[in-house]
Every structure is written in structure tokens, then in C-alpha cells.
Amino acid sequence: MAVQRGVTGLSIPIFLVSISSGVFDVVDVGWLFVLAPLGLVAGVAYGLAYYYRFTYAVTADTFDVTAGVVAKRAREIPYRRIQNVDVSQGVVQRVLGLAVVSIETAGGGDTEATLQFVGDAEAQRLQREIRDRTAAVKERRRQAGATGSGAETDAAADRGRAPDTTDAPQTDAATADAGSERAPASTPSAARASEAGAARSGRTRRQRLFALEPRDLLLYSLSSFRPAAGAGLLFVFFVASDAIVDYLLAVARPVGGPTDLQSGTAGSYGILTLISVVNGVAVTYLLNVGYTFVAYYDFRLGRAGDDFVYERGLLQRYSGSIPAEKIQSVTITDNPIQRLLGYAGLWVETAGYGPDSSGGSQSAVPLAADTRIRRFAENLTGVETPDFRRPPPLARRRYLVRYSLVAAVVVAAAFGLARATSLERWYLAAVVFAAVPPAAHLRYVHLGYFVGEDHLVVRSGFWKRRTTVIPYYRIQTVSTRRSVFQRRLGLASLVVDTASSRTFVWGTPTIRDVDLETAREIHGTGRERLQSALRERARADDIGLSVDFT
């Protein structure tokens, strides 16, 4: 902690003096020899003070954290609110035997408490103990609910009515990682009682569900794309911009590119631009492959009580949990390459956190055979095999017009560039119109929705197709949206929102461009089945998902 804060205290004066000396004459660069050592000493002192004033404790009902140097802050985090206890280790931390413990709660996108420098063994102990205590709290709440249900049963018997006491079957633990069909085992309450007993004795059993094989990891790295790769390209260009520009000029020169950036024709600059784009795409792809391989190396998914637990990472090792009762929706993802090879991925969204959010990866299965992924989703959620319905053909015509307008903008931009430069044959840009019909058709055929008895399933996307399964009891709001063009065509989009946090990449599930009457019908059906699902869950001891989903 002292070294980390000391480096920060040393760098701040260097940055401020270096910038200010170039703007204000009164600022002398020689101040660095005084301010930098003072900043180093102040940073080290602050780090030591922070360390000695930071305390944490595992109590019977809460996890307590006290921190702060200038202003002291004490937090008591109830176990019932804790969602994830993540442990991460970088390369240096693994060498030193240290780890970072992050405690996340439902309902927020920020980490509730972070223990920066904890011994590896202590981090594992905290993760295990907090997880066990959280499971014990959940079990006490279930037992309290069961006691209330028992009282209702006795009252119903006195009134001569037969209450609903049906329980859903539980999958057998022996089917883990085998993709077997469901088999009835003990009742959910008995299974959870066994888990709670194990939790109280400090020996929660961990069961392996899935492991990403090396072949599938390589295929996942080669067939997926992550926005972080684009940020990596910008970082590489920022660090070595001069060397990169010289390389691009050297590559473009033999095929008609300019000799330098100061002299050249419009045609030579166009060749340089094309060379730059091709190299940028290639480097971004290589960065993406490396990033994905390192991030998902040795991915393993398991189960501990009612939580899914995962481990992943080569350089930065992550270990975290996904509470089954917090899962809001389950999404099957694939892209054209993965569909061609018969593969797909399975992602989950939990309350307060979404896929690829700051709360950590929520990938249940990064990549596996398509049939296996769909069986996983059906076993996990209990969803029936969806029979998708598509929007009316009028929607395809709308996409055709939309993409035609985009193509017209591209041609107009080429025409404007030709008028401003010596660019010729601008009309060749009209070839983009050839892509309009297939683009509109592919967008249309990959849209679909299914209104089931217990779930709403939404499918959309071609380059990144997502099939999202949403239990009715997880729906927060259902809203109907209509743009100006949709109103003219009598169409509407239905947005289904849950309690998860969405990112820029992952949008809210939306049933797009259906007839207005159909949208209103789905809206009403969803509202009625939401109320029915809530009443059924209130009478049953059921978290809604099978934690032995494989």
C-alpha cells in the first residue's frame, strides 16, 4: 500500500509541474526536485495511515469494513444483500501470494467493498466463509417462509380447502457436466436443507459443471470480438505513433502511397488510408485473439450451494460467484462463424450486473456445441422449446428502405469527396446498394419472439445474435415504443426490462417491429403471467432455476 500510494504521490507533482512550466513562466522545472520527494513521502505516509486505519470483520449477520484517513467510514454489509465475492490476482500478486477481494451487492453497479492486499489463503477463506454465511441466511429465510406456508396449509385444511403444495423436481447431481436429461431427486427443500447443513459446518460441497477445453478456447478466441481490442489498438498507436506511421508509409510506398505525410496526391493518400485500415483491422483482430485467450484461459464453472462459481484467467486470475436466485435472464449468443461451426455461448445477467459489466464476467459457458448450449439453457431455466414468431413482412420492407438511405449517404459522401479532391469514379461507391437487400433480409429472418407459459424469449441480431430467455417473474417493466416511421406503418417495439445493469454493448431485450395490436396483446399477456408467476413462487419454496443445469 505504501509503495502504491508513494508512486502516485511522486507522479502527481511531476505531471503538474511539467504541464504548468510550459504554460506559466513563473513555474520552474527545478521545483520537481523539491515537490517530487515531498509527494513521495506524503504518498507513503498516506498509504501507511490508510493501512492501519483499515479493518474488516466477519460477524454473525454482516461483513463490516472500516476505512478512511481524513474521513473515516464504517460499513455493515448484510449477508442477504451480498451478491458476489470475487477474488482476482495479477501476475505480481500471484508471485507475492496476494489477492484482491471485491464484495458486490445487488442493486448497484459499483463494488461495495474492496480489500486490496489480502493474503491468498485469507482471500479464499473470506470468499468461502461469506458464501457459506450468505447461504445460511437464505436458508433461514426459506425456513421462515416454509413455516408460514405450513400455517396456511393448516388453516386451509380447517376451512376444507386443498392448498397447492406442488414442488418442482430437482436434477440429480450425478448428471453434472454430462448433458443428461433431468431426473427427479429429493425435493428442493430437502436438497437445500442438506446444503444449509453443509454450509453451517463450513464444508459447502463444490461440484464441477463445465470446463472450457483448450480446443474450444482457441476457437472462442478466433471467432469472437471484444470492444477492449479497439481500445488496445488506440493504446498501441498512442505509445508508438511515430514508428507506426513510418511503417505504414513504408508499406504503402511500393504500391503508390506517398513518400511522406507532407507530400502526396489524393490518390496516394487514398492508398495510404486503405493500407492503414487493413493493418488496423489485422492488429485489432490479433489483440482480440490474445485478450480473449488470456482472459478465458482455464475457464471452469462449478456450483456451491445455490451459487454458480467460476474461475478464469491466465495473467489475471479471477474467481467469483453468480447467485442463482439473482439471475434475471439467460442469453444464448452466437455469430456467423460460430453458427457455421455449430457453436454458441451462454451468458446470464444478475440483479445489478450484466454481461461484461464492472461486476465481472457473467459468462456461464463461453463456448460449446450449439445443441449442448440449448440443452443447458432449457435445463437451467425450464423453458419449453420456443416456437418463434417473426414480425410481419412489412418490417422487412422498412429495413430495406432504412439501409437504402444509408447507402445513399455513402454515395453522397463519395460524391462530396470527389468535388473537394481529385478523386475520380466516385460513382463506384454505388456498389453498396448491392448489399442492401441481403442486409435487410438477414436482419428480418433473425428476429423472433416466443410467448411461453412461464418465459418470454426474444431473439435478434445477425452479426451477434442473441436469444434471451426471461422468466415472467423477473420482468420489471414492459413498455411499447413507436418511432415516427413505425406509427406510419402501424408497427411497434416492445421493450422488456429486468433488474440487471445493461452496458453499451448489451442492450435491453426488445421485440422489434411487430403489429401494434400484437404488441398490445403481448404486453397484456406478459402482465397477467407475471402476476401468476409471482403468486406461484410465493406459494413454493423455489428459486426458479436449476443449479445443476448441465
Side-chain angles (χ1 to χ4, degrees):
M1 180 69 76
V3 171
Q4 185 186 64
R5 301 293 184 177
V7 171
T8 303
L10 176 67
S11 60
I12 290 177
I14 295 176
F15 175 77
L16 293 179
V17 172
S18 300
I19 297 298
S20 301
S21 61
V23 179
F24 305 102
D25 295 334
V26 295
V27 179
D28 188 0
V29 179
W31 292 7
L32 286 176
F33 297 100
V34 178
L35 296 180
L38 290 177
L40 174 64
V41 173
V44 170
Y46 184 89
L48 292 174
Y50 189 91
Y51 170 80
Y52 283 108
R53 288 174 65 87
F54 188 97
T55 61
Y56 63 89
V58 179
T59 67
D61 301 312
T62 60
F63 180 77
D64 301 340
V65 178
T66 303
V69 176
V70 179
K72 196 171 184 179
R73 181 186 178 191
R75 283 164 290 174
E76 295 181 353
I77 308 174
Y79 295 122
R80 60 181 174 80
R81 290 189 60 238
I82 293 178
Q83 177 165 298
N84 296 337
V85 182
D86 292 341
V87 176
S88 61
Q89 292 179 288
V91 177
V92 177
Q93 291 167 328
R94 292 165 72 178
V95 171
L96 298 177
L98 299 176
V100 177
V101 180
S102 302
I103 299 174
E104 299 159 354
T105 57
D110 297 328
T111 301
E112 187 72 18
T114 302
L115 312 183
Q116 289 286 356
F117 303 105
V118 182
D120 187 17
E122 173 68 1
Q124 300 299 327
R125 184 193 71 82
L126 285 174
Q127 187 183 53
R128 182 175 59 253
E129 186 167 350
I130 293 175
R131 184 181 295 150
D132 291 344
R133 290 180 180 271
T134 302
V137 169
K138 295 175 183 176
E139 182 60 27
R140 287 198 297 269
R141 292 172 62 188
R142 291 194 185 102
Q143 290 177 351
T147 303
S149 299
E152 292 179 3
T153 301
D154 294 339
D158 293 339
R159 292 193 298 268
R161 291 189 288 107
D164 184 4
T165 58
T166 303
D167 272 326
Q170 185 83 348
T171 53
D172 192 342
T175 64
D177 205 23
S180 304
E181 296 294 331
R182 288 192 174 193
S186 57
T187 62
S189 56
R192 295 193 189 102
S194 175
E195 294 289 351
R200 286 190 294 270
S201 64
R203 53 178 179 83
T204 301
R205 183 172 61 89
R206 182 165 178 167
Q207 170 190 345
R208 195 185 80 161
L209 298 176
F210 177 82
L212 187 62
E213 299 296 334
R215 174 179 174 273
D216 292 341
L217 172 62
L218 181 60
L219 178 59
Y220 184 54
S221 302
L222 294 172
S223 64
S224 61
F225 178 77
R226 298 183 162 276
L233 178 65
L234 294 177
F235 176 77
V236 171
F237 184 80
F238 177 79
V239 172
S241 57
D242 292 338
I244 293 175
V245 170
D246 292 339
Y247 165 77
L248 293 175
L249 288 172
V251 173
R253 194 176 299 119
V255 292
T259 56
D260 54 56
L261 292 180
Q262 287 71 34
S263 61
T265 63
S268 63
Y269 285 135
I271 293 175
L272 177 62
T273 302
L274 180 61
I275 294 293
S276 301
V277 170
V278 172
N279 279 270
V281 171
V283 173
T284 302
Y285 177 72
L286 293 177
L287 290 174
N288 170 78
V289 171
Y291 174 83
T292 305
F293 186 90
V294 169
Y296 285 89
Y297 177 82
D298 193 26
F299 180 95
R300 287 176 286 173
L301 180 72
R303 143 182 198 205
D306 284 343
D307 292 348
F308 298 113
V309 292
Y310 65 87
E311 296 181 24
R312 66 176 178 89
L314 178 60
L315 302 179
Q316 185 88 359
R317 190 70 182 170
Y318 293 95
S319 173
S321 58
I322 307 173
E325 69 173 10
K326 302 293 185 181
I327 293 178
Q328 303 295 303
S329 62
V330 176
T331 301
I332 299 174
T333 64
D334 54 44
N335 57 41
I337 297 177
Q338 293 169 350
R339 287 197 296 270
L340 181 64
L341 299 176
Y343 280 82
L346 187 69
W347 295 74
V348 298
E349 297 179 52
T350 57
Y353 294 90
D356 284 341
S357 69
S358 58
S361 169
Q362 301 295 324
S363 175
V365 179
L367 191 72
D370 177 78
T371 53
R372 192 180 184 194
I373 289 293
R374 298 189 184 280
R375 185 167 63 248
F376 285 175
E378 291 175 0
N379 292 344
L380 174 60
T381 62
V383 65
E384 56 269 47
T385 302
D387 181 16
F388 287 107
R389 296 175 58 188
R390 290 178 184 168
L394 188 62
R396 177 163 44 193
R397 195 176 74 187
R398 179 172 181 251
Y399 304 144
L400 188 65
V401 173
R402 177 190 297 179
Y403 294 147
S404 297
L405 293 176
V406 174
V409 170
V410 172
V411 174
F415 175 75
L417 185 63
R419 296 297 297 269
T421 65
S422 58
L423 179 67
E424 299 178 356
R425 299 181 181 179
W426 58 269
Y427 49 83
L428 294 178
V431 71
V432 297
F433 280 99
V436 169
H441 177 72
L442 290 174
R443 175 176 174 82
Y444 174 77
V445 297
H446 285 90
L447 290 177
Y449 63 93
F450 171 69
V451 183
E453 291 297 325
D454 301 307
H455 304 81
L456 185 64
V457 186
V458 181
R459 184 182 67 187
S460 63
F462 169 72
W463 297 109
K464 187 70 172 181
R465 187 174 66 178
R466 298 188 177 98
T467 304
T468 303
V469 181
I470 310 170
Y472 286 119
Y473 66 87
R474 290 303 192 191
I475 294 177
Q476 296 284 313
T477 60
V478 180
S479 57
T480 303
R481 299 180 183 177
R482 306 181 69 198
S483 66
V484 175
F485 302 102
Q486 285 177 317
R487 287 198 295 269
R488 289 177 59 88
L489 298 175
L491 301 177
S493 294
L494 209 64
V495 181
V496 185
D497 197 12
T498 61
S500 63
S501 293
R502 298 285 173 170
T503 64
F504 176 78
V505 178
W506 287 75
T508 305
T510 303
I511 302 175
R512 302 185 183 277
D513 296 315
V514 294
D515 291 324
L516 179 59
E517 292 302 321
T518 302
R520 289 172 175 170
E521 179 183 348
I522 299 174
H523 196 159
T525 302
R527 181 169 59 247
E528 294 173 0
R529 294 184 180 177
L530 166 63
Q531 299 302 324
S532 300
L534 292 176
R535 286 193 296 268
E536 291 175 3
R537 283 174 51 80
R539 293 194 298 264
D541 180 24
D542 184 13
I543 64 173
L545 296 168
S546 169
V547 289
D548 287 315
F549 73 96
T550 56

